Amino acid sequence: MARVAGVSASTVSRAMSRPEMVAPRTLERVRAAAEKVGFRANPAARALTTGRTGFFAMLVPDLENPFYAAIIAGAQAVAEEHGRWLIIAVTEGAAEREGEVLRELRDQVDGFVLLSPVGSARDLVAAHRRKPVVVVNRRVNGLTSLTVDTPGGLARIFDRLAELGHRRVAYLAGPPGSWMDRRRRDELGEHAARLGLDLRVVGPVYPAFADGAAAATEIVESGCTAALAFNSLLLLGLMYELGRRGIKVPERLSVAAADDMAFADLPGTPVSAVRVPAGELGGRAVADLVEMAGAPGAARRPASRKLPTEVVLTGSLVPPAR
């Protein structure tokens, strides 16, 4: 294969075991040669000789949330660029299950990406001492963490509601133990205090369609004239139940969500939302993990980054009915 690619055998070895150390053009030639001669790397053999498997594990709470699906897609694309593979493990948002997966897979992968983890900071840092860990949608001291500014985006939507004359706003909260949900509630609470508005927190609830629908009664009976939701699935469920009851949106209730992932193909008036760069989030997480897994010194240097968001204001926000 080295002769076909026109490179040395050692270059072929590096391209197969540590592609991040090979120039992109050379890597492309080696991969083309491998395809031509029908070569397939043996992960078990590579792990024995290099200590690396070529696999990363991505732990996700569920596969129903389109936000997580977009992160996975971005992560998979970057993993393939670096000759890596992703193993997807569902934790169901449970700390016990999360810890179990970290223990079971730590000898089979080169590192972990954790989406919205719920385990204790101590447990996550301990896992990182054994294999590199990157945390997404949560900040943990001592770990490389990636978040997006959805709290700030929701605050800007809150400001718009105040401009329109709303005085009582509901926030349909996310799952119990969610680090990001706490940040959003804190941000909205501070905004409400500054603006003299009444913020009604409904939940916490599991961020799914059915739970959004189930929250409709409490939101309607609260007398709120607007509702912000933890994610787009919750808001879809809420809007469905409101429609079933004949309660018009936005005439009776203005609505917005902390992401727009579930709204892409909906007919009618677009829904106000915080647009999040989910694919970029996943891609950056894997890129960080590639660097950490390939350079032991870098694996212990945490770097926290917050990606900006875009607020999309639409006709789903109107002045309250009088």
Side-chain angles (χ1 to χ4, degrees):
M1 189 168 69
R3 185 171 59 253
V4 174
V7 299
S8 66
S10 60
T11 298
V12 170
S13 177
R14 280 195 300 275
M16 292 297 157
S17 62
R18 301 186 66 178
E20 68 276 4
M21 296 185 63
V22 180
R25 186 171 296 179
T26 301
L27 183 60
E28 184 178 343
R29 286 164 55 192
V30 172
R31 287 177 174 170
E35 187 69 27
K36 183 175 182 179
V37 302
F39 175 82
R40 292 292 182 270
N42 186 319
R46 177 168 56 188
L48 287 173
T49 57
T50 69
R52 295 182 178 85
T53 67
F55 288 89
F56 292 143
M58 177 170 274
L59 278 59
V60 300
D62 62 67
L63 295 177
E64 299 175 4
N65 191 332
F67 176 63
Y68 296 140
I71 292 178
I72 292 170
Q76 182 66 59
V78 173
E80 290 181 359
E81 290 175 8
H82 291 276
R84 305 279 187 159
W85 294 94
L86 283 183
I87 297 173
I88 307 300
V90 177
T91 65
E92 300 176 352
E96 182 178 351
R97 172 63 177 161
E98 188 175 278
E100 179 184 338
V101 173
L102 286 169
R103 289 189 298 272
E104 291 295 326
L105 293 182
R106 68 188 179 201
D107 294 328
Q108 303 176 45
V109 299
D110 300 327
F112 294 90
V113 176
L114 275 59
L115 305 190
S116 304
V118 294
S120 71
R122 172 185 285 185
D123 289 343
L124 297 178
V125 171
H128 176 66
R129 294 193 188 103
R130 292 183 284 268
K131 283 291 174 69
V133 169
V134 175
V135 174
V136 176
N137 213 33
R138 176 178 169 183
R139 183 164 293 175
V140 178
N141 290 333
L143 299 183
T144 293
S145 306
L146 295 167
T147 60
V148 289
D149 189 22
T150 48
L154 281 176
R156 292 196 291 277
I157 292 176
F158 204 102
D159 289 341
R160 177 56 179 160
L161 289 171
E163 291 172 2
L164 291 171
H166 293 270
R167 309 310 301 168
R168 181 175 294 177
V169 179
Y171 173 61
L172 183 50
S178 167
W179 180 90
M180 182 55 75
D181 186 60
R182 289 197 300 273
R183 303 287 82 72
R184 294 173 185 175
R185 283 188 274 120
D186 290 346
E187 183 77 27
L188 290 176
E190 292 173 5
H191 255 59
R194 285 197 296 269
L195 298 171
L197 303 185
D198 180 11
L199 176 67
R200 173 70 176 269
V201 176
V202 177
V205 300
Y206 190 75
F209 182 95
D211 295 79
T217 297
E218 183 174 350
I219 290 176
V220 170
E221 293 179 353
S222 71
C224 291
T225 57
L228 309 179
F230 174 82
N231 77 342
S232 51
L233 280 179
L234 277 174
L235 186 56
L236 280 180
L238 172 63
M239 292 170 62
Y240 168 82
E241 181 61 18
L242 293 174
R244 195 183 68 81
R245 299 184 184 195
I247 300 172
K248 293 184 177 181
V249 172
E251 292 85 353
R252 169 60 181 81
L253 190 75
S254 289
V255 296
D259 70 69
D260 63 346
M261 296 297 170
F263 299 145
D265 300 321
L266 286 183
T269 303
V271 176
S272 297
V274 181
R275 185 164 292 164
V276 297
E280 181 183 356
L281 200 60
R284 288 198 182 195
V286 168
D288 284 343
L289 200 55
V290 168
E291 181 181 351
M292 293 161 65
R300 300 298 178 259
R301 293 199 296 270
S304 296
R305 289 194 293 277
K306 181 188 293 186
L307 276 61
T309 56
E310 177 188 358
V311 176
V312 181
L313 299 176
T314 72
S316 72
L317 303 180
V318 299
R322 298 187 183 277

